[in-house]
Amino acid sequence: MICSSSGVPASYGQLLRAHRKKRGLSLTQLAARVHFDPGHISKVETGKRSPSVSFAKACDRVLNVGNTFTAIASALEATAHRQQNWLRPAQLPAAKRHFVGRHGDLRRLDGLLRGHDQGLAVPVTVINGPPGVGKTALAVQWAHRAVNDGHFPDGQLFVNLQGPEPGTAAAPIDVLAGLLRAVGVPPDRIPAELDQRAATFRSYLHSRKMLLILDNAADAQQIRPLLPGAPGCAVVVTSRSRLPGLTVLVDAVSLLLSELRRPEAARLIGAIIGRARADANPGAVAVLAERCGRLPLALVLAAERIVSRQHNSAEPLAAELRTRRARLDLAEGDVALRDAFESSYKALDEQSARVFRGLGLLPGRLIDVVSTASVVGVPPEEASLSLCNLAAAHLVQRHGESHYRMHDLLRAYAADLAGHLTDGSGHAMVKAPVTGLTPTPAPLAAAPLVV
Ligand SMILES: Nc1ncnc2c1ncn2[C@@H]1O[C@H](COP(=O)(O)OP(=O)(O)O)[C@@H](O)[C@H]1O
Ligand SMILES: [Mg+2]
C-alpha cells in the first residue's frame, strides 16, 4: 500500500500522483492516455475533485494497477450517494412477545441469508398457508432475528399488499411510490410510469443489503415489479395463495405453514393467560387448544378472552367453545376469526365458493371429488377443478392422491355460510337458503372433546 509522508494510507489523489510519477508520466502525458483533461487530473490529484468510476477505470488501464482506482472510486461514489439521500428504513412491525415453535421454518428461512451472502440472484422465500396460521408472525420473527444478527444493514422494508380480496389488493404502482419514498427518493424524482418506478427502485437497491417483506400478496403479477434486481437484497413474501407463476419469475423457495403442534399450541395459550391460570387446569388448556384447531389466530383470541374475562383457568372457555358456532364467533377488539376467513372466501370465483359452502355439509374429515360433486350438484370434473382452486387458496389441503382435508374451523365457517352450522346439539341453525346446493341430511360430526 502506498502511504503519505505521515504514514496514513494515501488518498485517491496522492495515490494517482505516486503511480503517475513512478511511470515517469507528466500530467499532459497521462491526460493524453486516459482521454481526460490535464486540469481535471490535477484537481483529482489535489483532492479538489472527486474521481468518477469511468476516470478510475481509465487510470487502472493506463497505469496497469488492476482495479485499484476503480475500487476506490466506486466506494467513494457509494458513500457520497448514501450521505446525500439514503434513508435507512426500519419498517419491521414489532415481533410477537409470545412467539412459539416454527423452528424448522425459521431454519429454512435462514437459507435466504446464505443466498444473499454468496451474492447470487435475489433470494426469495414464499410463506404460504391458510388465514390466521401465522405467516406474517413467522416472517416478522425471522426478520428481527436476522437484523439482530447484523444482516441487512441498509434497512428493511415491510409492505402490506392487502391481498387476496378483489378490489382491496394494493396496486404495484402505489406500492412502489411508498417504497421509493421510504428509501429517500424525493417525490419529484418518482417517475409516473410503473416500469420506470420499478427500474428506479431496482437502481436504488443496487449494491445494498436490504430485506423486503411483501406481506399478504394477492398474486405473482402484484409482486413482479417490486422485486429487487441485484444480489445483496432478500425477499420474504407471505400469501394465502400459492402464487402460481412466481417460479417463472424467480427461483423462490416455498414454506407451507399448518396448525401448531400440540405442546406449542398449549404453550401459546399458557404464555398469554399466564402460568397460574394455565397450571390451574392444564387439561382444559389442552382441550381448548384442540377446540381452536391449534390455529394460532384462534388460540390467541381464545387466550385473550380468558384474560379479558378474568377467568381463573382455561376451563370455562374450553366448555363454552364446545359448539362450533362459539368457536367461529371468536373475536377480540377489532380482530375476528370470521373476518380472516371471509377475506379468503371472497377472493374465490363463484363456482369454487359454491363448492366451498358445500364442503360444510359433508360428514367426516376426508373429502373426495365424488361426494363433493354429489353434494354440490355439479359434474365431478367441475368439483375436481374447484377443489384444486380451494387447495391453491389453502382452504383445503391435499391428503394423498385422491382426498382433501379441511381445517375444522374452516369447515364450520363453510357450514355456516351454507346455513347448516349446528348449535352443538346436532340441530342445524338454518340461515338464508344457499342457492345451488343440494340439501344434505348428513349429520355433522359432533365435537369429540369433553371438558
Ligand atoms: N408461532 C406463533 N407464536 C405465537 N403467536 C403466533 C404465532 N403464529 C401466529 N401467531 C399469532 O396468531 C395471530 C395470527 O397470525 P398471523 O401471522 O397474522 O397469521 P397470517 O398472517 O397467517 O394470517 C397473530 O396474533 C399472531 O401473533
Ligand atoms: Mg398475515
Side-chain angles (χ1 to χ4, degrees):
M1 180 186 291
I2 294 182
C3 292
S4 64
S5 52
S6 62
V8 175
S11 69
Y12 186 104
Q14 290 166 333
L15 204 56
L16 179 60
R17 177 170 288 162
H19 277 292
R20 176 171 66 76
K21 295 227 159 136
K22 206 166 136 197
R23 298 262 176 315
L25 296 172
S26 68
L27 271 178
T28 322
Q29 286 169 323
L30 179 62
R33 292 182 197 190
V34 295
H35 307 295
F36 274 80
D37 187 76
H40 176 80
I41 300 178
S42 167
K43 284 190 175 135
V44 172
E45 283 192 354
T46 52
K48 289 184 185 138
R49 186 170 287 175
S50 307
S52 66
V53 173
S54 61
F55 174 70
K57 279 187 179 155
C59 294
D60 279 336
R61 183 173 37 81
V62 169
L63 299 169
N64 197 20
V65 287
N67 71 343
T68 306
F69 289 110
T70 311
I72 303 174
S74 305
L76 288 172
E77 203 175 85
T79 308
H81 188 74
R82 241 161 258 230
Q83 281 164 353
Q84 274 165 19
N85 282 328
W86 184 255
L87 295 180
R88 192 180 158 279
Q91 298 187 334
L92 291 182
K96 294 292 166 188
R97 223 153 47 94
H98 307 301
F99 191 84
V100 299
R102 307 292 193 210
H103 303 292
D105 300 300
L106 287 164
R107 266 196 304 279
R108 287 194 66 197
L109 278 160
D110 283 343
L112 282 171
L113 303 175
R114 286 189 287 282
H116 110 111
D117 286 345
Q118 285 164 13
L120 305 170
V122 179
V124 178
T125 295
V126 181
I127 305 174
N128 279 144
V133 78
K135 300 178 292 296
T136 305
L138 173 66
V140 170
Q141 178 75 11
W142 175 80
H144 277 286
R145 267 184 19 166
V147 170
N148 284 346
D149 288 348
H151 297 280
F152 311 115
D154 290 318
Q156 314 93 45
L157 294 161
F158 180 97
V159 46
N160 182 356
L161 294 177
Q162 322 258 11
E165 251 184 276
T168 64
I173 191 159
D174 299 330
V175 175
L176 278 166
L179 290 170
L180 287 170
R181 279 196 297 273
V183 297
V185 180
D188 60 341
R189 298 212 12 224
I190 296 177
E193 303 289 324
L194 173 65
D195 285 351
Q196 287 167 10
R197 277 188 192 181
T200 308
F201 184 56
R202 290 196 295 274
S203 306
Y204 261 75
L205 262 51
H206 185 79
S207 78
R208 309 222 182 266
K209 289 185 188 288
M210 293 202 65
L211 174 65
L212 176 60
I213 298 189
L214 301 174
D215 189 39
N216 210 3
D219 51 36
Q221 289 72 15
Q222 190 190 29
I223 296 169
R224 186 180 53 82
L226 311 177
L227 294 175
C233 293
V235 183
V236 179
V237 181
T238 80
S239 182
R240 294 176 188 185
S241 148
R242 277 211 196 116
L243 301 177
L246 186 69
T247 37
V248 179
L249 300 173
V250 281
D251 194 9
V253 173
S254 275
L255 298 186
L256 175 59
L257 292 195
S258 56
E259 54 272 28
L260 290 172
R261 298 199 178 104
R262 284 199 172 85
E264 290 159 355
R267 200 139 37 87
L268 177 52
I269 295 176
I272 297 173
I273 67 176
R275 183 174 283 266
R277 284 188 185 109
D279 290 350
N281 191 339
V285 171
V287 170
L288 183 61
E290 290 306 314
R291 291 203 161 149
C292 292
R294 290 182 264 128
L295 186 76
L297 179 59
L299 294 167
V300 169
L301 291 171
E304 285 183 357
R305 185 175 289 184
I306 293 173
V307 175
S308 68
R309 289 191 184 166
Q310 303 184 333
H311 291 314
N312 291 328
S313 78
E315 194 173 338
L317 190 67
E320 183 183 326
L321 297 194
R322 199 176 49 250
T323 69
R324 299 199 300 164
R325 176 170 300 283
R327 299 171 204 174
L328 201 54
D329 284 342
L330 275 171
E332 288 295 299
D334 59 355
V335 182
L337 192 57
R338 246 176 234 278
D339 292 348
F341 293 168
E342 188 184 67
S343 57
S344 283
Y345 172 71
K346 279 192 172 166
L348 296 173
D349 64 81
E350 209 174 302
Q351 172 83 340
S352 303
R354 194 171 145 212
V355 169
F356 178 74
R357 296 193 300 274
L359 296 182
L361 311 180
L362 283 176
R365 286 183 71 81
L366 288 186
I367 296 161
D368 66 86
V369 170
V370 174
S371 42
T372 303
S374 89
V375 162
V376 183
V378 293
E381 308 75 55
E382 283 183 26
S384 172
L385 187 64
S386 293
L387 284 169
C388 282
N389 289 340
L390 294 176
H394 296 286
L395 292 172
V396 297
Q397 291 93 46
R398 272 194 184 279
H399 186 85
E401 273 301 298
S402 49
H403 287 88
Y404 292 87
R405 275 182 50 224
M406 192 176 195
H407 192 278
D408 284 345
L409 290 171
L410 280 166
R411 189 187 282 260
Y413 177 64
D416 190 36
L417 290 171
H420 278 251
L421 186 63
T422 54
D423 62 3
S425 59
H427 301 301
M429 305 208 301
V430 179
K431 301 201 313 182
V434 179
T435 51
L437 278 178
T438 309
T440 174
L444 290 160
L449 287 159
V450 183
V451 183

